[in-house]
Amino acid sequence: ALAQRFLQAGNSVIVTGRTESKLATAQAENPALRTYVLDVDDAQAVQTFAEMITRDHPDLNILINNAGIMIRDELTADSLNLDAAEAIVTTNLLGPIRMTAALLPHLRERKDAAIVNVTSGLAFVPLANTATYCATKAAMHSYTVSLRRQLEKAGIEVIELVPPAVQTELTPGQSQFDAYMPLDAFIDEVMML
């Protein structure tokens, strides 16, 4: 939804994701959208992508780190699912750090450069059954604050986007929860800001 709004505002927009079929659907619905398969869990793939994207799109000046997975934790179980916890940390924390590191040299050379890190309201008020997700979003908040401080003299704006509970499919059925903010209303607020 955010990519669509940026396109409607006249921007060139590039999106990445792990699932080629979802990217194909997004591009079919938004023909001007440029899509690339990328798994931010793969450090080498991130570096290769950054080299290719900055070569093919030298005017690229904004990075939005939005990768995220949310898997419920059962911390009272006899055997914890460390595979799920490690996957969450890799995608939600290492993925954005890798993307930032890979694109930062390019962004330092661009006018009006910005990095937008999507965290979550759960970074501040955690949901107990998603402890690892909340911890990664809290870590991204702290990382964003530090990144902003370090990059202020470089002229790169660092923005934290902190969604509340929004009607998306981050978890199955979440897009139907009446108590959650409608996606369009959330995107309206983001674009206004």
Side-chain angles (χ1 to χ4, degrees):
L2 191 56
Q4 289 173 332
R5 291 292 182 89
F6 277 122
L7 276 173
Q8 290 168 1
N11 297 286
S12 296
V13 179
I14 301 164
V15 297
T16 66
R18 296 183 228 231
T19 310
E20 191 169 358
S21 61
K22 288 182 180 180
L23 292 170
T25 299
Q27 186 163 40
E29 293 171 359
N30 305 281
L33 191 65
R34 294 177 181 94
T35 62
Y36 295 88
V37 174
L38 175 65
D39 184 351
V40 297
D41 290 2
D42 183 337
Q44 185 55 54
V46 168
Q47 190 59 46
T48 300
F49 173 78
E51 292 166 5
M52 179 271 303
I53 206 72
T54 56
R55 181 190 64 239
D56 293 351
H57 302 279
D59 293 336
L60 176 74
N61 67 329
I62 298 175
L63 166 63
I64 300 176
N65 284 309
N66 190 45
I69 57 173
M70 182 182 217
I71 302 169
R72 296 203 185 308
D73 300 293
E74 185 49 63
L75 301 179
T76 58
D78 288 338
S79 60
L80 299 178
N81 182 351
L82 289 180
D83 291 341
E86 289 174 8
I88 295 166
V89 170
T90 301
T91 298
N92 297 7
L93 182 57
L94 289 178
I97 291 172
R98 287 173 176 154
M99 288 296 290
T100 299
L103 290 170
L104 196 52
H106 175 80
L107 293 174
R108 281 191 175 110
E109 304 299 319
R110 301 281 69 80
K111 184 179 180 187
D112 298 323
I115 298 170
V116 179
N117 289 330
V118 179
T119 62
S120 171
L122 295 177
F124 305 97
V125 182
L127 179 63
N129 65 358
T130 60
T132 306
Y133 174 86
C134 297
T136 61
K137 293 304 184 173
M140 278 305 298
H141 164 71
S142 181
Y143 178 75
T144 303
V145 170
S146 297
L147 190 64
R148 182 180 301 125
R149 176 83 168 108
Q150 288 191 29
L151 296 180
E152 64 188 350
K153 289 183 180 158
I156 299 174
E157 186 175 9
V158 178
I159 301 165
E160 181 177 11
L161 181 58
V162 186
V166 178
Q167 292 174 344
T168 68
E169 282 301 306
L170 178 61
T171 60
Q174 181 175 319
S175 64
Q176 305 304 311
F177 294 170
D178 290 336
Y180 285 20
M181 185 176 199
L183 179 58
D184 284 342
F186 172 67
I187 298 300
D188 286 345
E189 274 191 23
V190 170
M191 296 306 289
M192 182 182 67
L193 292 171

